């Protein structure tokens, strides 16, 4: 009887040890601590790259407004963000993508006059400076203004309600 009890205790101890090992491995697999994005964002190298980007962005906005003498700059907003993502979001060791930092700049311009002519000129300058991401006419300011006029939201105060068309959502390119 003592031998059976001893075998049962040893077997129980082995099973407990195996369970603890499996749980430890599982815990290690779930350790998905991301890289320190904040430290990366505030590092000297990132600050230097940010300063270079700010100068480039400022020069590009100056070129844009210089090419549009009728547009009056009324403000600019800038947002910087850094992020990474887990390439293996399921069980197993985390595999983090390199940290990527992006600067988004919005320039607010005011103008008066023929909105369609100005939007067409703005589209041309944006395309010339390679700030247009698609060749689709719906992704241009002129294309959007045309669609809005057909959908009942013509930006021109002279548009009559009889010229307005469908209110269907914008088709995807």
């Amino acid at each position: 009887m003592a031998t059976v009890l001893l075998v049962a205790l040893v077997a129980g101890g082995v099973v407990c040890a195996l369970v603890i090992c499996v749980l430890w491995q599982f815990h290690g697999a779930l350790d998905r601590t991301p890289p320190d994005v904040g430290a990366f964002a505030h590092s000297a190298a990132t600050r230097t790259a940010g300063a270079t980007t700010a100068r480039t962005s400022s020069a590009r906005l100056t070129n844009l407004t210089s090419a549009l003498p009728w547009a009056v700059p009324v403000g600019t907003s800038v947002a910087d963000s850094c992020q990474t993502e887990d390439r293996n979001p399921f069980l197993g060791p985390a595999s983090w993508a390199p940290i990527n930092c992006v600067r988004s700049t919005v320039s607010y311009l005011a103008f008066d006059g023929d909105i369609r002519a100005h939007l067409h000129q703005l589209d041309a300058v944006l395309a010339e400076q390679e700030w247009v991401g698609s060749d689709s006419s719906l992704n241009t300011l002129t294309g959007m203004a045309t669609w809005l006029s057909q959908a009942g939201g013509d930006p021109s105060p002279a548009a009559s309600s009889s010229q307005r068309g469908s209110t269907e959502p914008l088709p995807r390119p």
Side-chain angles (χ1 to χ4, degrees):
M1 179 81 155
T3 309
V4 174
L5 186 57
L6 183 60
V7 170
L9 285 174
V10 170
V14 169
V15 169
C16 285
L18 287 174
V19 168
I20 289 172
C21 285
V22 168
L23 289 175
W24 185 257
Q25 291 298 319
F26 190 68
H27 169 69
L30 291 179
D31 182 16
R32 309 185 76 68
T33 306
D36 189 351
V37 176
F40 181 87
H42 294 96
S43 70
T46 304
R47 285 195 313 269
T48 300
T52 301
T53 300
R55 285 190 299 274
T56 302
S57 178
S58 178
R60 290 190 75 186
L61 285 175
T62 299
N63 289 342
L64 174 68
T65 55
S66 296
L68 304 169
W70 43 265
V72 178
V74 293
T76 302
S77 63
V78 177
D80 293 326
S81 64
C82 295
Q83 68 179 19
T84 186
E85 63 183 37
D86 187 354
R87 294 184 200 172
N88 184 17
F90 303 107
L91 290 178
S95 172
W96 294 96
I99 297 173
N100 182 32
C101 296
V102 176
R103 170 168 287 209
S104 299
T105 304
V106 177
S107 180
Y108 301 91
L109 304 171
F111 58 89
D112 196 9
D114 182 1
I115 191 168
R116 292 193 191 286
H118 288 322
L119 291 178
H120 183 70
Q121 290 171 347
L122 181 56
D123 281 335
V125 170
L126 292 173
E128 179 182 297
Q129 294 188 12
E130 298 178 353
W131 282 11
V132 178
S134 173
D135 293 333
S136 170
S137 65
L138 291 175
N139 289 333
T140 64
L141 295 169
T142 306
M144 187 57 69
T146 300
W147 178 80
L148 283 172
S149 69
Q150 294 169 350
D154 194 323
S156 170
S160 71
S161 60
S162 65
Q163 295 173 328
R164 296 186 178 151
S166 171
T167 57
E168 293 297 314
L170 178 64
R172 299 278 179 195

